[in-house]
Every structure is written in C-alpha cells, then in structure tokens.
Amino acid sequence: MHPASLVTCWFWLAVSVPTIAQQPTNTATAEPPTCDCCVFDEQRPTHWQTRLAPDTATGQRLQLSGIVYESDGRTPARNVLMYFYHTNAAGRYAKLGTEPRSSHAWWHGYCRGWLKTDEQGRYQINTILPGAYPNERIPAHIHFWVKAPSQRSCYYLSDFVFAHDPRLTESYWSKVEEQEGFLRTEGIRLTKRGSTLVGERTIRLLPQYDREGRQSGLRVGDACPAFDPYHVWGADRGKRTCPMCAYGQGQGVMIWTRSIDSDTLRRLVQFWEQAVARPSVKLARVFVIYTNPAQAPAGQVQRQLEDFAQRNNLHHVAVLYVPSPVHRGSAFLYNINPAVSTTLLFYQRRAVVHNVVDPVATVAELAQQLSWLRP
C-alpha cells in the first residue's frame, strides 16, 4: 500500500459509504492486508488493456495509456503485471459491501484492476476521473504497482496525478520527493476525445529492483532533486547542506558509493582532487556520497569518513553520507541501485549530463570523464 497516502487512505476507507450496498463499518475489526504483492495473486491478466471503474460508475470517463520501459529507459518492458486502484468521483474508495475486511478489495474499493504489458510494453486503463479526498489537500490520484519479470519483487510507483489539479503544489512535490523517493513531474495533461478525457504517461522501471545490477542512478536529462546528506568533510563540514540547492547551478560530479575501501574509489577521488585544483577546470563541486550499507550509527560513519578523507589528503573533494542505500529522500530518490558499487552522476545546471555505473577508473576512462566538463 502506498506509504505516503496510507493514513489518509485508511481514514477515507473507514468513513466511505458504499454506493451499491449499505453496510455498517466496524473500523476496530478492520485490518489492512499485510502482503502488498499478494494483490497479484488475485488475478492473472493476459491483456494490456483493463477497465477499472464499472460502466455504471458516475463520473467523467478517462483513458490513460503509455509504454513501460526497463530500467535502462530504452527497452520496452513486456509482460509486466500492473495493478491500479483509485477513488470514485466523490473521492471515496467505494465498496460493494461484501468484501472481507482484510482484503485488498475492501481497502481499495471497486475502482481497481490488473493488466499485463504487451510485446511493445504498452498499457492502457479505462476508468473515470477519480475525485480528491474530501476536505484534503492531496491531489486526485490513481495508485499503481508493478511486477516485472526482470525484477526481484513488486513495488509501487508514483501516483498518476493530473496537470490541471490545483493541489499539485510545491509542498506536495516536496513530500513526494522526501517521503516517497520519486521525482516530481508536471502531472498528466488531459485532452478531450469525444466524451472521454485521454492522457499518456511513460513509465521507467526502477533500477533498484533489477535482478541484475547493471543500471543505477538518474538518467541523462533528469533534474537532480534536493536532498539533505550529512557533510563530514569539505566546505559544509558538520552541516546538512543540500548539494543541489547550494551548488547545482554550476557543474560537478556526485560519486555515490557503497564502499570507501575500494581501489577504484581511491583512484577516483585522487584524480578529482587534482582536477578540481586546476584553474582550467571550472568545476563547482565534487561530492563523494557514501550510502552506508551497514546502516552504521552516525558517530561510527563520521569517523570512518574522516579517516578516508585524511588518508586521501582531500582538500577540494567533499565527503558526505546518507542514512542507507534505500533511504527514500536521498539514495532511492536518485535511483541508486544498492547492488552497484559506484555510480557517477555528472551534472550541469542541475541536470544529469552523464551517468557511469561501476567505473574502473583507468587513466583513459578518467580522461574521458574530465572531457565531459565545460572548460
């Protein structure tokens, strides 16, 4: 179940009045499902199109479609199972009244359904435009989960939201980034086709869930979001300065790493320490961002990183860390794959311009990296 909307969803599920059957709701005995991925055991879809809201449902008809890509952002993802659910036009998860209290059907309402992407990675849902929760500031949305053959487990992705919704505020998107770990979008733009609103959304599977760790990090062209790591070494030592907020308008390198003991990382930091010192390299910042895979306590991590910085005689390269490799507001937000040792993200004016997964840091490779920066 979608964690960011969980409490609010449960509240409206508890007070929603079924539109087909009127039954009293005893919220004290209602327990949500404990197995999210079990929702894919309910049905075995075979088609890339599905209908969520029944034909009898009141509301504006809506059709959403697009292509699902593998984590490389290029390969169409076929045979991906997708599950969707949303409120009715009144903003409530309306039920038939016969659903078991511990079932997904009771908690998600009857506007829900499954599909399986085709050979081209296509999907299409036909439903009604969901209503926003009454008296809430959360935009109208459609929740969805994916389960791909190329990945380890099912997981949820950022809700379908709509560009026309006035609730798509800066505050909303900040919470999406910080709490859910998803990049902000403009929402789906809807146009009228006959009596139906239509829209499109392209979906990229997250590299964090790949069975084989070959992809990691934001794609070229993605905007680098704000995050608040702990600065152990560098100009912001002892602070939680957002690197992109403070320095993102220039250019630089983020070296995301799960190990500070590798020879590759040592060669990387020594190379960039010397490169940044050159007057010809107008580089705003180089950040080593340790993902703390053991989730060690702050004091221990700080001592380890201080020792790392001192051993490598760092003066220009900053050393930071985040709570864990799956922390929603940092490593997860940047699509850092926990199975990958090192991910390099080169940025200019807060946009990713190059992505390097598990570099070997040879002389030739490092020279190529330097060429990616503007003189």
Side-chain angles (χ1 to χ4, degrees), residues 188-242:
I188 298 174
R189 297 190 179 278
L190 300 177
T191 58
K192 204 72 175 289
R193 182 184 298 165
S195 60
T196 302
L197 291 175
V198 298
E200 295 183 358
R201 175 179 172 180
T202 298
I203 296 169
R204 177 202 179 195
L205 299 177
L206 298 181
Q208 298 93 309
Y209 296 92
D210 284 350
R211 293 185 186 276
E212 299 182 11
R214 297 176 180 171
Q215 304 291 328
S216 181
L218 299 179
R219 295 174 297 174
V220 172
D222 284 342
C224 297
F227 69 111
D228 298 312
Y230 301 85
H231 291 250
V232 176
W233 200 264
D236 297 293
R237 184 175 183 177
K239 301 178 182 178
R240 296 193 62 183
T241 304
C242 165

Side-chain angles (χ1 to χ4, degrees), residues 55-71:
D55 292 335
T56 55
T58 301
Q60 168 65 58
R61 299 310 301 187
L62 175 69
Q63 182 181 97
L64 301 176
S65 60
I67 297 177
V68 180
Y69 289 97
E70 298 286 356
S71 63

Side-chain angles (χ1 to χ4, degrees), residues 2 35 45 60 68 97 101 107 122 134 149 152 178 199 219 243 252 265 282 315-316 319 333 336 340 355-356 364:
H2 205 302
C35 174
Q60 168 65 58
V68 180
R101 297 287 173 83
W107 287 93
R122 293 183 299 172
R152 298 188 306 274
E178 295 170 9
R219 295 174 297 174
L265 182 63
K282 295 181 179 179
H315 299 282
H316 304 285
V319 182
L333 176 61
I336 302 303
V340 168
N355 173 313
V356 182

Side-chain angles (χ1 to χ4, degrees), residues 159-280:
D159 298 334
F160 287 88
V161 292
F162 308 101
H164 69 273
D165 197 322
R167 299 174 185 84
L168 291 181
T169 62
E170 174 66 25
S171 174
Y172 168 77
W173 286 122
S174 294
K175 289 179 180 178
V176 167
E177 290 182 337
E178 295 170 9
Q179 298 177 14
E180 300 179 40
F182 296 123
L183 299 178
R184 63 183 66 199
T185 69
E186 295 180 351
I188 298 174
R189 297 190 179 278
L190 300 177
T191 58
K192 204 72 175 289
R193 182 184 298 165
S195 60
T196 302
L197 291 175
V198 298
E200 295 183 358
R201 175 179 172 180
T202 298
I203 296 169
R204 177 202 179 195
L205 299 177
L206 298 181
Q208 298 93 309
Y209 296 92
D210 284 350
R211 293 185 186 276
E212 299 182 11
R214 297 176 180 171
Q215 304 291 328
S216 181
L218 299 179
R219 295 174 297 174
V220 172
D222 284 342
C224 297
F227 69 111
D228 298 312
Y230 301 85
H231 291 250
V232 176
W233 200 264
D236 297 293
R237 184 175 183 177
K239 301 178 182 178
R240 296 193 62 183
T241 304
C242 165
M244 290 298 104
C245 306
Y247 313 110
Q249 290 306 313
Q251 59 177 343
V253 186
M254 288 181 280
I255 305 173
W256 293 81
T257 183
R258 58 177 289 113
S259 173
I260 56 173
D261 298 318
S262 70
D263 287 338
T264 297
L265 182 63
R266 178 183 55 79
R267 291 195 298 271
L268 281 169
V269 297
Q270 290 181 358
F271 172 82
W272 286 111
E273 176 70 20
Q274 296 174 13
V276 175
R278 302 176 195 171
S280 60

